[in-house]
Structure formats: structure tokens, C-alpha cells
């Protein structure tokens, strides 16, 4: 029997350490199926976003906001939000696209999934395979097994993983590590200075968040926290540009600055920002953060009271420091085989649901940590991973009961905003709470265009 949105939300809220009685404080509405999928993507969308609603309501109530009625979360609003890149338009034209390398390819013993949307990842894949074109790469892949491709690409900093059956993933050391791990972890750390929220009724008003994330999962979480009132400053290295579609879809409500943390001057400016931050969110590999002295253990010792949230593709286990994206996790963990059904070629989820759901869980965890900090001044360490979210989704699978999308009009859940690059049609925030506008209070600013300072008002 298919797992319902309410059941998945209960699981998420328990993982966050929330009071089970809080589940009465949200109303889930809308059609059961908004996507066509073998897995319950609609339920995943409502549950992960619903966790944000419960956590935001909890924080708002702790700050004195009254809620005359439970907030409502419609499955159609959740579906548009979790698939927001599919609705993004600049002057009527789509912004998000995939490179031809970023798809399933034949290997000597099955299928692999590669990712080459960024030039440096394509260059690394070509170098690993000893080729100079996509066609030559595709040919080279057919002469290697999936495992050989994984190891070869990983050694060159490229991205590609074998497509596995769910049972094969469970038997893999990385899959076994994820099966033994919780959906997410929220661990309390040392106490710091008191946090004095502003009079603004938005739940996260007055919270300063440093956002060291890219692509979809982290930016989804931080655009949500920005809508809830936080001052979110995204920090990118100047040499690592973001793809326009991914950037503009997730930049609402936030600011964007460029700092090279390997440069002494830029690092000093970053450390000044960090000293004034309440939350630091990172989406880079664990070893990369440790090399910069920004691993969570170091941060907890140096900045008592700081809330740190870190996520990666694979979570704890032998692949903890491997690069990864939503589509690659789908292939490696068995989702691509589940979505294929009886077809020989792999399938895919109808949207980047692992990224988005992980991003919403991240936002919910940060909000819960802020509520806890109000009471005892203690910081928190939050750990998530796309593979953990994938394991959660697979656990909700009911074989033989695929979702068939019920048609609906997405227009009520979209808006058009004038930006520095033109008219941008985009998804609206999927929920409403007292004290919040229907859309983000600030339009997105161009990538890297803001000064590395906190807002004063």
C-alpha cells in the first residue's frame, strides 16, 4: 500500500525531533497524484515542504506569533515548487537544460549515468576516458564495466556511476551505510551568545545565514529560509560560475557575493561574516570543507552557538567525499531501475525530487535548530544527504502502484517578476504563514553582484 503524504510527514517530523502533536498544525490538501512516477513523488513533495511549515510555525509561535488556523499545503503548490526549474521562463523561454553528456549511457555490463553540465566536469570526464568529444566518450564507455567507470571517473574528479538494482545498492558498502543512517541528524553543540529576534513577524527575521551551496538542494533550502525572513548571503568562488537556470531559479530573496576562501584577503572578509552569522550552510564535499578549516567540528569549537548544516550527495560511508548530483544518486541507488518498470533502459524521477526534498528538509532542520537555540543558546550540527533522502523515498515505494498524474493548472502557483535580466516567470513559495508576503520580499540579484556584508535593516 502506498505511503501517504501524512505518513511521510510524520516520519520527517520525528527525524527532526519535533513534537508528534504538532502534526495537527498543518492541513494537507489537493490531488494525491501530481506527477507520473513509480515512486510517491507527490507525497515526498508535500512531506518535505510540510516539515518546513511545521518548523516555521513552531519558531514563529516561540517568537510570539499567533496562528488562528493551521496552515494549508496544497499538493499542487508543492508539486510546482519541487519542480520549479520546469516552470522557469526568462521572457517566455526556458532557462534550464542538460548537456548531452548528462544522461544514461551503455557500459560493457549495463548502464551508467554521467553528469557534464559544468565545463570542468566535462573536461575531467574526457580526460579520464582519453577522448575529446561526447561521441568518443560514449564509445569508450561501452568498453568498460560500470564499476570501472565509477572508479576511473572518480580518480579524475569527474562524475559517473553505474545504474544498480535496489538490492545491489543495499549490498554495496555505501548503500549499507545509508541504510543504517537516519534520514537526517540534528546534534546539539555548545552555547553561545543570546539571539535577540527582531519585531518582524516573519519566523526567521533577524537570522543571518551564510550560504555556501550550489545547484539545487542547498539553494532550495536557502531560498525557503529567505522567504521566511532570513538575511541569506550566498558566497561563491569567483572561478566557479553557476549555470544561469539553476542560479535564477533559486536566487529569490537572497544576495550573492564572490569570495575566494583560499585568498588571504577574501578569507578575512569571510571570517568577519562568519563571526556575525547565526547559520552556516555548506554543500561541498566534507574533505574540501576540512581543508578550509570549515568542517563542522572545527566550527562548533570556534563559534559556540553557531548552527551548521552540511549535506552532500552520498552521506556517511566510503563515498562520503565523492562528488554527486541528484541524477547520479537516482542511478546508483536503484531509483532509475524502479522508474524503468519493465523497460530495459533506466528511468528517472519526473523532477529533481531528491535535491528539492533534501533542500526543504535542510530548511526545516535549520528552523528547528533556531527554535531550540532560542530556549538554551546552544548551536546545532545538521547533517543530510541526497542518498539519505533517496533511501527514504524508496522505503515508501509500493510495487505495482505507480502514480498517474491528475491534470492541473500550474498558473495559480506561478508569478512573473522583473529582474536585472528581464521578466522571470517562476514558482511561488508553496505555503502562506502570518506575516509573510505571498512571494519573496526581494527579487534575485545577479550572480556575484552584492557586497560581502550583512544587511543593516
Amino acid at each position: 500500500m502506498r505511503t501517504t503524504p501524512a505518513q511521510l510527514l510524520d516520519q520527517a517530523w520525528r527525524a527532526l525531533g519535533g513534537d508528534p502533536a504538532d502534526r495537527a498544525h498543518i492541513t494537507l490538501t489537493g490531488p494525491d497524484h501530481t506527477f507520473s512516477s513509480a515512486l510517491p513523488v507527490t507525497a515526498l513533495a508535500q512531506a518535505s515542504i510540510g516539515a518546513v511549515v511545521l518548523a516555521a510555525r513552531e519558531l514563529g509561535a516561540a517568537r510570539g506569533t499567533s496562528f488562528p488556523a493551521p496552515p494549508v499545503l496544497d499538493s499542487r503548490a508543492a508539486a510546482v515548487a519541487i519542480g520549479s526549474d520546469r516552470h522557469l521562463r526568462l521572457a517566455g523561454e526556458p532557462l534550464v537544460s542538460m548537456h548531452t553528456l548528462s544522461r544514461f549511457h551503455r557500459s560493457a555490463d549495463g548502464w551508467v549515468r554521467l553528469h557534464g553540465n559544468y565545463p570542468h566536469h566535462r573536461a575531467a570526464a574526457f580526460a579520464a576516458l582519453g577522448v575529446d568529444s561526447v561521441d568518443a566518450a560514449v564509445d569508450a564507455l561501452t568498453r568498460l564495466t560500470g564499476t570501472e567507470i565509477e572508479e576511473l571517473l572518480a580518480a579524475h574528479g569527474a562524475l559517473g556511476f553505474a545504474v544498480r538494482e535496489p538490492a545491489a545498492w543495499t549490498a554495496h558498502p555505501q548503500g549499507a551505510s545509508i541504510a543504517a543512517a537516519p534520514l537526517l541528524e540534528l546534534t546539539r553543540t555548545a552555547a553561545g551568545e543570546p539571539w535577540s529576534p527582531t519585531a518582524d513577524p516573519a519566523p526567521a527575521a533577524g537570522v543571518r545565514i551564510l550560504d555556501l551551496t550550489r545547484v539545487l538542494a542547498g539553494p532550495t533550502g536557502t531560498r525557503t529560509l529567505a522567504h521566511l525572513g532570513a538575511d541569506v548571503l550566498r558566497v561563491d568562488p569567483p572561478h566557479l560560475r553557476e549555470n544561469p537556470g539553476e542560479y535564477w531559479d533559486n536566487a529569490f530573496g537572497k544576495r550573492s557575493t564572490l569570495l575566494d576562501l583560499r585568498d588571504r584577503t577574501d578569507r578575512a572578509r569571510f571570517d568577519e561574516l562568519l563571526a556575525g552569522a547565526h547559520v552556516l550552510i555548506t554543500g561541498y564535499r566534507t574533505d574540501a570543507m576540512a581543508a578550509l578549516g570549515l568542517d563542522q567540528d572545527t566550527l562548533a569549537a570556534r563559534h559556540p552557538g553557531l548552527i551548521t548544516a552540511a549535506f552532500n550527495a552520498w552521506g556517511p560511508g566510503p563515498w562520503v567525499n565523492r562528488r554527486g548530483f541528484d541524477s547520479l544518486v537516482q542511478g546508483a541507488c536503484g531509483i532509475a531501475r524502479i522508474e524503468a518498470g519493465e523497460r530495459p533502459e533506466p528511468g528517472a524521477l519526473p523532477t529533481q525530487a531528491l535535491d528539492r526534498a533534501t533542500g526543504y528538509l535542510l530548511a526545516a532542520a535549520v528552523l528547528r535548530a533556531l527554535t531550540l537555540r532560542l530556549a538554551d543558546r546552544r548551536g546545532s550540527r545538521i547533517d543530510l544527504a541526497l542518498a539519505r533522502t533517496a533511501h527514504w523515498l524508496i522505503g515508501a515505494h509500493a510495487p505495482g502502484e505507480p502514480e498517474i498524474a491528475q491534470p492541473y493548472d500550474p498558473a495559480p502557483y506561478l508569478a512573473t517578476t522583473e529582474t536585472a535580466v528581464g521578466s522571470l516567470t517562476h514558482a511561488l513559495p508553496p505555503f502562506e504563514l502570518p506575516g509573510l508576503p505571498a512571494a519573496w520580499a526581494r527579487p534575485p540579484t545577479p550572480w556575484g553582484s552584492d557586497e560581502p556584508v550583512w544587511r543593516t535593516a
Side-chain angles (χ1 to χ4, degrees), residues 17 56 99 111 134 160 188 192 207 217 229 240 245 290 293 323 325 356 358 363 380:
H99 191 270
W111 295 86
V134 172
R188 308 307 308 288
V207 177
L240 200 59
R323 296 171 173 85
F325 289 92
R356 299 294 188 185
T358 303
S380 293

Side-chain angles (χ1 to χ4, degrees), residues 73-91:
L73 176 59
D74 191 280
S75 62
R76 291 161 291 198
V80 171
I82 209 166
S84 59
D85 51 307
R86 305 192 314 168
H87 301 281
L88 187 69
R89 299 288 185 274
L90 178 60

Side-chain angles (χ1 to χ4, degrees), residues 48 53 60 71 102 133 153 258 298 334 374 382 401 445 454:
S48 57
V53 175
S102 300
S133 70
L153 295 183
L258 302 179
T298 300
L374 272 178
I382 298 162
E401 296 185 27
T445 59
W454 295 115

